Amino acid sequence: MSPIKLIGFDLDDCLFDSTGLSESARIKGLDAMIDLGLKIDKEKAVRILKEIVKDYGSNSSKHYNYFVRRLNQMEDNIKHISYNDGYKYIAAAVMAYHGEKVNSIKLYSDVDNSLRRLRELSIKIAIITDGIPIKQYEKILRLNIDSLIDLVVISDEIGIKKPNPELFNYCLKKFGVKGQETIYVGDRIDKDIIPANLNNIFSIYLHRGGKYDTYKSDIELQEELKPDYEISNLNELFMIIEEINNKEKINNF
Amino acid sequence: MSPIKLIGFDLDDCLFDSTGLSESARIKGLDAMIDLGLKIDKEKAVRILKEIVKDYGSNSSKHYNYFVRRLNQMEDNIKHISYNDGYKYIAAAVMAYHGEKVNSIKLYSDVDNSLRRLRELSIKIAIITDGIPIKQYEKILRLNIDSLIDLVVISDEIGIKKPNPELFNYCLKKFGVKGQETIYVGDRIDKDIIPANLNNIFSIYLHRGGKYDTYKSDIELQEELKPDYEISNLNELFMIIEEINNKEKINNF
């Protein structure tokens, strides 16, 4: 047996606040429409947009289209939004939304330092993530961590999607390491922890308060579905690595 | 009969240099890939990308994907671009491309002044354009001409596309004006001039040197397909308006 050689991370809501960024970007979109003349109470607008995100999912590209249509259906609607105004509002909202997404993306404060420490320990670093490959790589470039990552595995390109444990096995094979030499850090039991466990990878549940951060250790789960560790800050990683490495030493003794 | 009451404009390559902006944005994309480490001669890269734009059309969203694939097919290819590097290059190129499109869009220098003069003359102003409604409105907002335009007619929203003359008739009806009270300015014989002529709208061919600027007055065309006027600067509009208005006065005398 040997010590930890590889650590994998989920991207969204693990290395940066994806949930929070989407929420603030959506609000910027509403602000842009109101600035342009849309007559609506801001709080009401936020409430309606939240309903739309719930109805259509957070990844729909048409939130603001539905928003304008929904306003035009409402009984207390003061003034029907014309075709021209509707598109103007939607365009302004989409511009503001993307501007915020592009300009305000930033790493959680514990990430850059932790990745550098891992590199100093000669531990390889991978990102394993679902999502559209170019969009995911755009995030990595904007977060400026490209040079710190040894391998990016984006499921849609490989053709194996989370929670298929083969995706994690693909990554192990790429580095020529075993599960027990590897740690995976994610925020979803179903898509991160279970496939890691199935590959004998040490699984760490990272609490960031994002939209999927629903796991509590008092939830009754079969033992094999539970994360090996829970953390809320990446700096806790290093104690865990030390603990695992020490155990391995004792076992080898 | 009455004088000119309405003037309609095409958007792309008429009010701003759409062709030039796309070209410079594509180059920025190549620069970003080279900056990130892609080994290729810049001139060769430009040549390959031009071929791809020719093969797949200027509106494809996958130019850089095809670019990377094509490099990997080429016999003199020094080094196969890996999956990871490929997506990194494509993401960087797309980011740079969109950044340029967003930040460098600007009106032709004769536009703002001409639109303001038209408003002083109490002539209504419309934009009649094909294209994706939100994208077209985004351009109008970024060009900061929204407050100068009385009506934006985007064919995909109306469900009538250029060169269908009904699109122009729709606009006449919206303002309650006749064709002979209207001027339309565009850069395509097929999509701008002919449908304007069919509605008895005074047609003006505007030379901007864009990708569709191929009309020369010595081309043999049937009389009803020819523009009534040709200009290369919007300031020439005002003499034409005066000429038309004077003719109308004489006819009414």
Side-chain angles (χ1 to χ4, degrees), chain A residues 36 65 83-84 87-88 90-92 94-95 133-134 137-138 141-142 146 150-154 157-158 170, chain B residues 36 65 83-84 87-88 90-92 94-95 133-134 137-138 141-142 146 151-154 157-158 170:
Chain A
L36 215 55
N65 299 59
Y83 142 70
N84 254 234
Y87 273 103
K88 187 168 74 178
I90 296 165
V94 169
M95 283 160 60
I134 292 181
Y137 232 113
E138 180 177 337
L141 288 172
R142 289 201 194 280
D146 174 44
D150 296 290
L151 182 69
V152 178
V153 179
I154 304 173
E157 179 55 26
I158 313 289
Y170 167 91
Chain B
L36 215 56
N65 300 58
Y83 143 69
N84 253 235
Y87 273 104
K88 187 168 77 178
I90 296 165
V94 169
M95 281 160 59
I134 292 180
Y137 231 115
E138 181 178 337
L141 288 172
R142 290 202 194 279
D146 174 44
L151 182 70
V152 178
V153 179
I154 304 174
E157 179 55 25
I158 313 289
Y170 167 91

Side-chain angles (χ1 to χ4, degrees), chain A residues 187-209:
Chain A
D187 69 335
R188 291 187 65 161
I189 294 292
D190 54 346
K191 296 200 168 182
D192 296 317
I193 302 305
I194 293 175
N197 290 351
L198 288 170
N199 281 289
N200 291 319
I201 294 168
F202 292 100
S203 58
I204 301 184
Y205 191 96
L206 176 58
H207 291 285
R208 293 287 201 190

Side-chain angles (χ1 to χ4, degrees), chain A residues 73-90:
Chain A
Q73 304 307 324
M74 290 171 78
E75 280 187 20
D76 62 344
N77 181 35
I78 308 156
K79 191 171 167 291
H80 185 85
I81 300 165
S82 68
Y83 142 70
N84 254 234
D85 283 347
Y87 273 103
K88 187 168 74 178
Y89 293 143
I90 296 165

Side-chain angles (χ1 to χ4, degrees), chain A residues 12-249:
Chain A
D12 292 76
D13 283 329
C14 180
L15 300 187
F16 77 102
D17 182 7
S18 173
T19 301
L21 184 61
S22 294
E23 278 172 12
S24 72
R26 281 186 211 115
I27 304 292
K28 292 273 181 188
L30 294 177
D31 288 340
M33 292 197 281
I34 292 169
D35 285 351
L36 215 55
L38 180 66
K39 296 270 173 283
I40 190 167
D41 176 69
K42 168 94 175 262
E43 276 179 39
K44 186 180 168 188
V46 172
R47 200 168 60 242
I48 293 170
L49 192 60
K50 276 198 180 146
E51 284 173 17
I52 287 166
V53 172
K54 203 174 159 196
D55 286 1
Y56 289 93
S58 60
N59 288 328
S60 164
S61 63
K62 302 247 174 212
H63 290 149
Y64 297 108
N65 299 59
Y66 297 131
F67 181 83
V68 168
R69 285 182 212 171
R70 197 173 286 205
L71 287 191
N72 273 341
Q73 304 307 324
M74 290 171 78
E75 280 187 20
D76 62 344
N77 181 35
I78 308 156
K79 191 171 167 291
H80 185 85
I81 300 165
S82 68
Y83 142 70
N84 254 234
D85 283 347
Y87 273 103
K88 187 168 74 178
Y89 293 143
I90 296 165
V94 169
M95 283 160 60
Y97 175 88
H98 285 298
E100 176 73 1
K101 280 249 175 162
V102 162
N103 296 320
S104 297
I105 188 169
K106 67 170 197 289
L107 291 175
Y108 280 115
S109 60
D110 53 1
V111 175
D112 188 80
N113 180 50
S114 300
L115 296 180
R116 291 177 194 279
R117 277 178 76 187
L118 289 170
R119 291 184 76 83
E120 281 167 19
L121 296 171
S122 299
I123 296 173
K124 296 283 181 191
I125 302 170
I127 288 176
I128 306 181
T129 178
D130 285 342
I132 299 161
I134 292 181
K135 291 276 170 201
Q136 296 306 84
Y137 232 113
E138 180 177 337
K139 294 171 188 171
I140 289 166
L141 288 172
R142 289 201 194 280
L143 291 168
N144 204 21
I145 49 171
D146 174 44
S147 62
L148 300 174
I149 309 293
D150 296 290
L151 182 69
V152 178
V153 179
I154 304 173
S155 57
D156 276 17
E157 179 55 26
I158 313 289
I160 310 171
K161 201 173 166 73
K162 290 183 184 180
N164 189 334
E166 279 305 312
L167 185 69
F168 289 65
N169 188 35
Y170 167 91
C171 190
L172 296 179
K173 281 189 293 185
K174 271 279 180 182
F175 285 97
V177 300
K178 298 183 185 126
Q180 57 264 41
E181 296 167 329
T182 304
I183 288 174
Y184 189 73
V185 182
D187 69 335
R188 291 187 65 161
I189 294 292
D190 54 346
K191 296 200 168 182
D192 296 317
I193 302 305
I194 293 175
N197 290 351
L198 288 170
N199 281 289
N200 291 319
I201 294 168
F202 292 100
S203 58
I204 301 184
Y205 191 96
L206 176 58
H207 291 285
R208 293 287 201 190
K211 64 184 166 184
Y212 299 116
D213 186 354
T214 53
Y215 176 67
K216 292 189 189 78
S217 44
D218 60 1
I219 290 176
E220 279 194 35
L221 274 182
Q222 293 168 263
E223 208 50 46
E224 63 266 32
L225 307 186
K226 282 186 182 173
D228 295 313
Y229 300 90
E230 280 179 76
I231 61 176
S232 57
N233 187 304
L234 289 188
N235 290 316
E236 297 171 64
L237 266 179
F238 298 91
M239 281 191 335
I240 295 172
I241 292 170
E242 210 171 321
E243 187 184 316
I244 294 171
N245 287 350
N246 283 338
K247 269 192 206 157
E248 296 302 324
K249 276 188 206 150

